[in-house]
Amino acid sequence: MPELPEVEIAARSLASQVTGRTIVGLERLDWERMLEPLSAEAFAAMISGQCIMQVARRAKWVLLHLANDLTMAIHLRMSGNLTVHDPAEPARTHVHLIICLDDGRRIFFDDERKFGRVRLLDPAGLGALDAAHGPEPLEETFTAATLAHILAGRRTKIKPLLLDQRLIAGMGNIYASEALWLARLHPLMPAVAIDANGVAALHQAIRDILTQAIQHEGSSLRNYRNGYGRRGQQQDYFLVYDRAGQPCQRCGTTIERVVIAQRSTFFCPVCQLLPEL
């Protein structure tokens, strides 16, 4: 599933192409279940004729702010991509939504597994979406003290805690594993047991790995592409994710894989030693 870096790059690359353009209608919508909860007809009526004023991101949502104070909120889920194409570009098999722009170009929502979702939110709905997510880890207001407050008193294991969107926005399986390796924290360590030095290390690791992944335009393991259809490169720089059986880049110990909260988790059993509590 695309995580914060991939969604950020999707939003940025879309913004550079469609900001200021007007939506003139839909060319295709063949999977109405992606709309929450509108019909195709209502959706088309509410977006047609509207200028795309801004493209942004909140957590793992791409947000297209329209001139009528509605926001098109798009969640890519497992296999979704948003790309912009010229009029003559044929739509591939898994393009389930095509939005037409006033310059003839089209926005394709390609979603092989059909898990992606599109909502139209009024200001109250946008506020509710915002309130449902924790702080953005790359904002200046996300400090080590912020993270310490989130972890305080929680006996939840640190890996699944990092995936909880209500606590920290945008983190996912890949970058949680990477950040924990950088911070030398075992993924099964209870959050409450992490001391001040560990919290500071984890805070820095989260910001560092997300920043690096954005610089490399995200990770393309299978489906992910940016708004221009290009692959990301962060998978070429993985520190621990998907490296089970390979040597740790820090100490040479063999990287291990375990399943935590139904997600593959990769760690070094020496660098990320689980202390006896």
Side-chain angles (χ1 to χ4, degrees):
M1 179 182 293
E3 303 178 23
L4 186 155
E6 291 76 42
V7 182
E8 178 67 23
I9 292 300
R12 290 183 186 183
S13 56
L14 199 61
S16 65
Q17 300 178 84
V18 306
T19 302
R21 305 268 36 128
T22 296
I23 297 170
V24 297
L26 295 184
E27 179 179 319
R28 175 188 297 179
L29 178 54
D30 62 9
W31 184 248
E32 286 198 35
R33 288 181 61 184
M34 71 167 49
L35 299 178
E36 296 183 343
L38 295 173
S39 67
E41 293 77 14
F43 177 74
M46 295 171 77
I47 66 171
S48 294
Q50 297 304 315
C51 179
I52 301 171
M53 306 299 292
Q54 182 185 22
V55 183
R57 176 193 60 80
R58 175 65 170 117
K60 298 179 184 180
W61 292 86
V62 176
L63 305 176
L64 278 68
H65 298 296
L66 307 180
N68 59 355
D69 286 334
L70 292 179
T71 295
M72 191 187 312
I74 304 173
H75 203 301
L76 304 177
R77 297 283 178 92
M78 294 295 292
S79 60
N81 285 301
L82 290 166
T83 50
V84 181
H85 298 272
D86 291 332
E89 181 74 21
R92 298 175 297 277
T93 302
H94 301 296
V95 175
H96 301 296
L97 172 65
I98 300 177
I99 298 172
C100 302
L101 304 176
D102 59 348
D103 63 356
R105 292 178 304 149
R106 299 167 296 160
I107 301 173
F108 288 4
F109 189 6
D110 186 309
D111 188 9
E112 178 180 348
R113 301 185 68 178
K114 294 183 176 179
F115 290 157
R117 292 294 181 265
V118 180
R119 298 178 183 175
L120 269 182
L121 304 176
D122 61 15
L126 184 61
L129 183 146
D130 180 60
H133 294 87
E136 290 285 340
L138 290 180
E139 290 187 354
E140 291 185 5
T141 53
F142 183 79
T143 63
T146 304
L147 181 59
H149 179 74
I150 292 170
L151 304 186
R154 297 183 185 273
R155 297 200 162 275
T156 307
K157 305 298 187 287
I158 187 60
K159 171 67 184 304
L161 185 148
L162 291 176
L163 305 184
D164 190 336
Q165 297 300 295
R166 299 168 299 178
L167 301 179
I168 301 174
M171 290 292 291
N173 196 41
I174 293 174
Y175 302 112
S177 288
E178 297 282 277
L180 289 170
W181 183 86
L182 280 172
R184 298 176 179 259
L185 295 173
H186 195 285
L188 289 175
M189 192 168 181
V192 71
I194 301 175
D195 63 18
N197 289 334
V199 170
L202 180 58
H203 172 261
Q204 190 63 52
I206 289 171
R207 293 174 67 89
D208 286 349
I209 198 61
L210 293 178
T211 298
Q212 183 192 68
I214 290 172
Q215 291 171 347
H216 292 144
E217 298 198 326
S219 301
S220 290
L221 300 182
R222 183 180 176 186
N223 300 95
Y224 174 72
R225 301 291 186 274
N226 69 15
Y228 294 97
R230 295 195 297 261
R231 290 169 55 86
Q233 302 300 318
Q234 183 62 23
Q235 67 275 6
D236 298 333
Y237 299 88
F238 282 166
L239 302 167
V240 66
Y241 184 82
D242 202 27
R243 298 190 70 247
Q246 299 181 45
C248 172
Q249 297 182 42
R250 198 158 43 205
C251 73
T253 303
T254 300
I255 296 297
E256 296 183 3
R257 172 189 174 274
V258 294
V259 176
I260 302 174
Q262 301 180 325
R263 307 301 299 274
S264 293
T265 300
F266 303 87
F267 70 101
C268 173
V270 172
C271 288
Q272 296 170 266
L273 186 65
L274 181 62
E276 294 184 7
L277 300 174

